[in-house]
Amino acid sequence: VRAIAAASSHGRRAEVYAKVRVALTDPSSTVAASMLRDLEKGGPVEADHVLGDLIARGERAGVATPLLSLAYTHLKAAEQRWARRGA
Protein backbone atom coordinates (compact mmCIF):
# COMPACT_ATOMS: atom_id res chain seq x y z
CA VAL A 1 0.00 0.00 0.00
CA ARG A 2 2.87 2.36 0.81
CA ALA A 3 4.44 1.77 -2.59
CA ILE A 4 1.13 2.38 -4.35
CA ALA A 5 0.55 5.57 -2.37
CA ALA A 6 4.06 6.82 -3.13
CA ALA A 7 3.71 6.01 -6.84
CA SER A 8 0.43 7.94 -6.84
CA SER A 9 2.04 11.00 -5.17
CA HIS A 10 0.25 10.31 -1.87
CA GLY A 11 3.22 9.07 0.14
CA ARG A 12 3.60 10.08 3.79
CA ARG A 13 6.52 10.55 6.13
CA ALA A 14 7.99 7.43 7.72
CA GLU A 15 6.80 8.59 11.17
CA VAL A 16 3.18 8.51 10.00
CA TYR A 17 3.52 4.92 8.81
CA ALA A 18 5.27 3.96 12.05
CA LYS A 19 2.36 5.31 14.14
CA VAL A 20 -0.18 3.48 12.01
CA ARG A 21 1.80 0.24 12.20
CA VAL A 22 1.92 0.45 16.00
CA ALA A 23 -1.82 1.15 16.22
CA LEU A 24 -2.65 -1.80 13.97
CA THR A 25 -0.23 -4.35 15.39
CA ASP A 26 -0.17 -3.60 19.13
CA PRO A 27 -2.05 -6.48 20.84
CA SER A 28 -3.59 -4.03 23.33
CA SER A 29 -4.79 -1.64 20.64
CA THR A 30 -8.54 -1.23 20.16
CA VAL A 31 -8.08 0.04 16.61
CA ALA A 32 -9.59 -2.21 13.95
CA ALA A 33 -10.25 -1.76 10.27
CA SER A 34 -13.92 -1.51 9.36
CA MET A 35 -13.43 -4.44 6.97
CA LEU A 36 -12.24 -6.61 9.86
CA ARG A 37 -15.33 -5.68 11.87
CA ASP A 38 -17.49 -6.58 8.86
CA LEU A 39 -15.70 -9.92 8.49
CA GLU A 40 -16.10 -10.74 12.17
CA LYS A 41 -19.85 -10.11 11.89
CA GLY A 42 -20.08 -12.22 8.75
CA GLY A 43 -21.32 -9.18 6.87
CA PRO A 44 -20.50 -7.95 3.39
CA VAL A 45 -17.02 -6.56 2.85
CA GLU A 46 -15.76 -3.93 0.45
CA ALA A 47 -13.24 -6.15 -1.32
CA ASP A 48 -13.80 -4.54 -4.71
CA HIS A 49 -13.94 -1.00 -3.39
CA VAL A 50 -10.86 -1.19 -1.18
CA LEU A 51 -8.53 -3.98 -2.28
CA GLY A 52 -9.71 -4.07 -5.88
CA ASP A 53 -9.10 -0.34 -6.20
CA LEU A 54 -5.64 -0.62 -4.63
CA ILE A 55 -4.72 -3.47 -6.96
CA ALA A 56 -5.87 -1.47 -10.00
CA ARG A 57 -3.88 1.57 -8.84
CA GLY A 58 -0.85 -0.64 -8.33
CA GLU A 59 -1.16 -2.07 -11.83
CA ARG A 60 -1.42 1.43 -13.33
CA ALA A 61 1.65 2.55 -11.37
CA GLY A 62 3.67 -0.59 -12.16
CA VAL A 63 3.66 -1.71 -8.51
CA ALA A 64 3.36 -5.45 -7.88
CA THR A 65 0.57 -6.34 -5.44
CA PRO A 66 0.92 -10.05 -4.66
CA LEU A 67 -0.22 -9.82 -1.02
CA LEU A 68 -3.13 -7.51 -1.83
CA SER A 69 -4.13 -9.88 -4.64
CA LEU A 70 -4.00 -12.84 -2.26
CA ALA A 71 -6.12 -11.02 0.33
CA TYR A 72 -8.58 -9.98 -2.40
CA THR A 73 -8.89 -13.57 -3.62
CA HIS A 74 -9.62 -14.79 -0.08
CA LEU A 75 -12.26 -12.10 0.47
CA LYS A 76 -13.97 -12.89 -2.84
CA ALA A 77 -13.99 -16.61 -1.95
CA ALA A 78 -15.53 -15.77 1.43
CA GLU A 79 -18.19 -13.66 -0.29
CA GLN A 80 -19.07 -16.64 -2.48
CA ARG A 81 -19.34 -18.96 0.54
CA TRP A 82 -21.57 -16.47 2.36
CA ALA A 83 -23.76 -16.11 -0.74
CA ARG A 84 -24.21 -19.90 -0.96
CA ARG A 85 -25.18 -19.99 2.73
CA GLY A 86 -27.61 -17.14 2.30
CA ALA A 87 -25.68 -14.88 4.68
Side-chain angles (χ1 to χ4, degrees):
V1 172
R2 284 180 71 174
I4 295 167
S8 304
S9 301
H10 297 291
R12 299 287 183 250
R13 293 184 323 271
E15 312 86 72
V16 173
Y17 289 113
K19 282 184 178 181
V20 170
R21 180 180 294 258
V22 168
L24 294 176
T25 59
D26 179 351
S28 65
S29 175
T30 59
V31 174
S34 62
M35 190 180 295
L36 174 60
R37 290 191 299 270
D38 294 340
L39 278 168
E40 290 173 340
K41 290 185 218 171
V45 295
E46 298 169 320
D48 293 319
H49 297 96
V50 178
L51 297 181
D53 180 68
L54 280 167
I55 292 165
R57 288 173 188 261
E59 288 174 0
R60 287 193 300 271
V63 176
T65 59
L67 295 178
L68 288 174
S69 296
L70 179 64
Y72 178 81
T73 299
H74 280 278
L75 288 171
K76 295 305 285 184
E79 284 179 349
Q80 291 298 315
R81 284 192 306 274
W82 294 328
R84 283 193 303 271
R85 293 181 192 152

